[in-house]
Structure formats: structure tokens, C-alpha cells
Amino acid sequence: MEYDAFIGGIEPGGLRNKNEIRILLCYLVNSIGAPLSREDVLSIMQENGFANYFEVTDALAELTANGSLAADGDPPVYHAVSQTKLIAGQLDKVLPLSVREKAIAAAVNLLAKARREQENKVTIQQTSKGYNVHCHISGGDLELMNISLYVPDEHQAKLVRKAFHKSPETVYQVLLALLTENPDLAKKAFEQHILRYIRLLNSLHS
């Protein structure tokens, strides 16, 4: 197969063919079944070392220009269309097994992330002195927690939002443990949090 893509920043076994990159992008957007932000697309491609950053941005531009992906807003949010599904169907035939497995895992993680963000919302409100970050944890139709945190700038506000969405259940358990003076619950929450990071590190090195 012709290698026609830049390889800077990609992991061993990453994609070096423009067509492969387009197929993988369509697979990711199609598999989520919901709009996918440009930030999420770039993040998942970079974190997994799938493809060079500039190749990904070029591929996204080409796919939206030819109607293989739909995009709305600025920065854009991508939607699957009928052509997206057709291109995504080539995943098993074209991409290496190692890339397919990582792509499927990435899609599952994106689905989990989307669900966490849907169920546990974070809003950022600018004030005259900085920003208030409002974090909500939902248990179905019941709001389990609603807290607000002041931070001085937008960068910190976005960091808080990102960290909260990574593990809202840990935030809830730790706060509940502190407010009920339950050290065993706090210990359990921290142990579970550490175990998740260990599993993540192991998966990155496997």
C-alpha cells in the first residue's frame, strides 16, 4: 500500500495512508451515533497515535467538503450521514487488526464519555471576578449533587470541567464521605480511582 501521509507524532503501527485515515475517522463518527466535536476527534486520534495531527485535520476538511461527513458550528461538530456509514464499513477490509482493535476501544470510550457528560452536566458561568463552574450529578431522574466552584480564569474552569467528567462518581463518593465523616467510604473511593488509572496505564503500554 502506498504511504502518502506524514508520520510525525504517530505511534508504531499508526496510519500512514490518507485513505486509511479517512476510513477511521468515518468509523469513529459513525460508531458514536451522536454528534462528535472536533476536539474529541483530534483528541482520540492523537491519544492513540493513530495519525499525524495535520493529516487528521486535512482528512476532516476533505470528508466534509465531499459530503462524507456533515459538520455544523465553529468549531465544528461532526455528524454521520449515509456516506459515512459506507466508508466506515471498509474498516475490517482496509485497516490493520491492531488499529481496528484500538479504534473499537476508542469508540467505546467515547460512548462512555458522551454518556457521562449527558448524565453529569457542567456549566461554566463568567462573573466580574472570574468563573463559576456548576457541576451536577444525576441518578436517572434524580439530581444527586449540585455544587459550584469558583476559579479565577477560563482555563482553570475548563480543567475542572474536564476532570469532573472523567470521574464524577469519585467526586460524589469523596464529598459524601467527607460530609458524613465516613473515612472508609473515602478510602474506597480513592482506591477505585487509583485502580482505574492503573488499568488505563496498563492499556496504554499493552
Side-chain angles (χ1 to χ4, degrees), residues 4-197:
D4 58 359
F6 292 114
I7 61 172
I10 71 170
E11 299 290 335
L15 304 180
R16 295 182 289 171
N17 177 273
K18 294 179 184 293
N19 188 51
E20 291 179 342
I21 296 170
R22 289 190 288 266
I23 291 171
L24 181 55
L25 288 171
C26 286
Y27 169 77
L28 288 173
V29 176
N30 184 68
S31 64
I32 298 306
L36 195 58
S37 72
R38 179 186 178 88
E39 180 183 358
D40 278 337
V41 173
L42 292 172
S43 175
I44 205 67
M45 296 294 283
Q46 295 276 279
E47 289 175 3
N48 289 276
F50 283 138
N52 176 273
Y53 172 88
F54 297 104
E55 293 290 352
V56 174
T57 55
D58 286 348
L60 287 171
E62 182 178 343
L63 288 166
T64 52
N66 65 24
S68 297
L69 281 178
D72 300 314
D74 185 22
V77 174
Y78 300 98
H79 309 258
V81 293
S82 57
Q83 186 65 17
T84 313
K85 185 175 183 178
L86 290 175
I87 297 174
Q90 301 177 46
L91 185 79
D92 291 340
K93 301 174 185 176
V94 177
L95 270 63
L97 176 61
S98 60
V99 174
R100 294 203 306 268
E101 290 176 344
K102 289 177 71 175
I104 291 169
V108 170
N109 288 335
L110 279 174
L111 283 170
K113 178 177 181 290
R115 182 176 179 181
R116 285 197 303 272
E117 292 184 2
Q118 182 179 15
E119 294 179 349
N120 306 288
K121 297 189 179 298
V122 179
T123 57
I124 297 175
Q125 179 185 18
Q126 185 174 8
T127 70
S128 59
K129 296 183 179 180
Y131 291 81
N132 288 327
V133 185
H134 306 284
C135 302
H136 306 262
I137 292 181
S138 172
D141 58 354
L142 178 66
E143 186 170 64
L144 298 176
M145 187 187 79
N146 181 352
I147 62 171
S148 294
L149 177 68
Y150 164 80
V151 293
D153 57 58
E154 185 179 10
H155 177 68
Q156 290 188 38
K158 290 181 177 179
L159 284 177
V160 170
R161 179 176 62 189
K162 183 177 181 180
F164 177 78
H165 276 150
K166 281 184 178 179
S167 188
E169 64 277 7
T170 300
V171 175
Y172 177 72
Q173 288 177 351
V174 170
L175 282 176
L176 182 63
L178 291 173
L179 293 173
T180 58
E181 298 183 333
N182 188 334
D184 290 334
L185 180 59
K187 179 182 177 183
K188 180 181 178 181
F190 279 117
E191 287 175 346
Q192 291 175 342
H193 194 58
I194 291 171
L195 284 173
R196 275 194 293 270
Y197 271 105

